[in-house]
């Protein structure tokens, strides 16, 4: 074999060895990459102890140690306004109902000096007014705490009353009475609804059972409380209407009486009888 043939053989062997090395390196890298993807490194997740309710906590309840517990929470689930210790909670008063196991949040409590009662939820300048309500809407349970309602009132208006800046109807001018309906207070907030049963009379168990009175409580300002007092004592017929969550402020309405309906719906009057 001449020198040129031997040289070609050596070059072929070198090329084959280099190719085998490249293939081996590629296959090893792919295998390592697959192993890295399929077996990720587990990182420990940090946790924080926060205060949760050990039991259901009713609104207007003074907070004591037995109501509270610490629970480990993942850091990304901890409420921004949560409590990490019980020190700032003891002797405060819950403003809302809190369910067992729920994290406690700062907006749910008020420093009321250990006091409990409805007054802790009433803002300065506002009052709670209890109002007897037997209207159909409230009797069905359609009115719930947090709703905003308008109060409609129907009254017999005498001839001395002045409506629409004194522009009275013929019956008013002659001293008669007109039944008039009008919206009174509007967009007032319902604080609570419930039924109150008066105590039994002297007859004890033999006395007839007392019928419960449906009570609705409103959050109003001081002047609105006086208006509600008059509406309640006026002897008229009261109805409530529930507002949409998207509607706020007064809604313009006109007083409605018989003349208004006759003009609006074009009622035809009865023929007058001959004398």
């Amino acid at each position: 074999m001449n020198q040129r043939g031997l040289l070609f053989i050596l070059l072929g062997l070198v090329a084959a060895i280099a190719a085998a090395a490249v293939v081996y390196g590629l296959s090893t890298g792919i295998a390592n990459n697959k192993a890295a993807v399929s077996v990720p490194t587990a990182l420990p997740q940090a946790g924080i102890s926060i205060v949760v309710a050990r039991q259901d906590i009713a609104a207007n309840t003074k907070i004591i140690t037995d109501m509270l517990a610490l629970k480990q929470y993942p850091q990304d689930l901890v409420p921004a306004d949560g409590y990490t210790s019980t020190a700032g909670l003891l002797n405060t008063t819950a403003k809302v109902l809190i369910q067992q196991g729920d994290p406690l949040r700062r907006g749910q409590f008020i420093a009321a000096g250990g006091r409990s009662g409805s007054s802790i939820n009433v803002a300065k300048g506002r009052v709670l007014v209890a109002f007897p309500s037997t209207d159909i809407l409230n009797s069905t349970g359609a009115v719930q705490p947090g709703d905003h309602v308008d109060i409609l009132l129907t009254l017999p208006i005498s001839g001395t009353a002045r409506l629409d800046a004194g522009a009275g109807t013929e019956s008013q001018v002659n001293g008669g009475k007109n039944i008039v309906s009008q919206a009174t207070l509007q967009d007032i907030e319902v604080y609570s609804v419930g039924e109150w049963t008066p105590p039994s009379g002297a007859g004890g168990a033999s006395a007839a059972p007392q019928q419960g009175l449906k009570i609705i409580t409103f959050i109003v300002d001081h002047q609105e409380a006086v208006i509600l007092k008059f509406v309640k004592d006026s002897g008229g017929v009261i109805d409530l209407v529930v507002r949409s969550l998207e509607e706020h402020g007064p809604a313009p309405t006109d007083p409605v009486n018989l003349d208004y309906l006759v003009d609006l719906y074009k009622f035809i009057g009865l023929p007058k009888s001959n004398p």
Side-chain angles (χ1 to χ4, degrees):
M1 181 181 295
N2 57 25
Q3 292 181 349
R4 180 176 295 180
L6 182 60
L7 179 61
F8 280 125
I9 292 172
L10 291 175
L11 290 175
L13 289 173
V14 171
I17 292 171
V22 170
V23 171
Y24 176 79
L26 290 175
S27 62
T28 302
I30 292 173
N32 290 338
N33 288 338
K34 287 183 177 179
V37 171
S38 61
V39 186
T41 302
L43 296 176
Q45 189 175 22
I48 297 178
S49 292
I50 63 172
V51 183
V52 299
R54 181 177 291 173
Q55 62 190 56
D56 289 348
I57 302 174
N60 305 324
T61 302
K62 177 182 173 181
I63 303 302
I64 60 176
T65 304
D66 291 344
M67 299 176 180
L68 311 175
L70 288 173
K71 183 177 181 181
Q72 195 82 356
Y73 260 64
Q75 188 169 1
D76 56 347
L77 297 180
V78 174
D81 57 349
Y83 289 88
T84 56
S85 74
T86 62
L89 276 166
L90 298 178
N91 295 322
T92 62
T93 303
K95 298 168 62 177
V96 296
L97 170 66
I98 302 169
Q99 302 288 341
Q100 181 181 7
D102 286 352
L104 305 187
R105 309 170 76 104
R106 298 187 185 276
Q108 297 172 324
F109 304 91
I110 184 171
R115 295 188 301 272
S116 60
S118 299
S119 61
I120 66 171
N121 283 322
V122 180
K124 183 179 180 180
R126 312 285 284 180
V127 294
L128 295 181
V129 178
F131 198 80
S133 181
T134 55
D135 69 290
I136 297 175
L137 185 66
N138 191 38
S139 297
T140 62
V143 182
Q144 293 296 317
D147 285 338
H148 283 236
V149 301
D150 297 347
I151 297 180
L152 309 183
L153 175 64
T154 299
L155 279 176
I157 303 298
S158 68
T160 58
R162 298 173 63 85
L163 297 176
D164 296 331
T169 62
E170 180 180 354
S171 59
Q172 291 169 339
V173 172
N174 293 334
K177 289 187 176 181
N178 243 346
I179 301 297
V180 179
S181 297
Q182 173 63 304
T184 56
L185 291 179
Q186 298 187 7
D187 197 20
I188 59 175
E189 183 179 351
V190 176
Y191 177 78
S192 65
V193 293
E195 189 170 287
W196 176 76
T197 302
S200 300
S206 61
Q210 299 284 339
Q211 185 175 4
L213 178 64
K214 191 77 171 181
I215 297 293
I216 183 168
T217 306
F218 298 114
I219 304 177
V220 295
D221 63 33
H222 292 276
Q223 182 59 38
E224 289 172 332
V226 179
I227 296 173
L228 273 174
K229 165 70 174 172
F230 178 83
V231 169
K232 177 176 68 71
D233 296 342
S234 65
V237 179
I238 299 167
D239 285 284
L240 304 179
V241 291
V242 177
R243 285 199 162 209
S244 165
L245 283 174
E246 300 178 355
E247 184 180 11
H248 300 284
T253 60
D254 296 321
V256 175
N257 62 5
L258 182 58
D259 292 339
Y260 179 96
L261 293 178
V262 168
D263 292 339
L264 180 64
Y265 295 108
K266 312 302 181 186
F267 282 103
I268 299 175
L270 296 174
K272 294 182 180 180
S273 58
N274 294 325

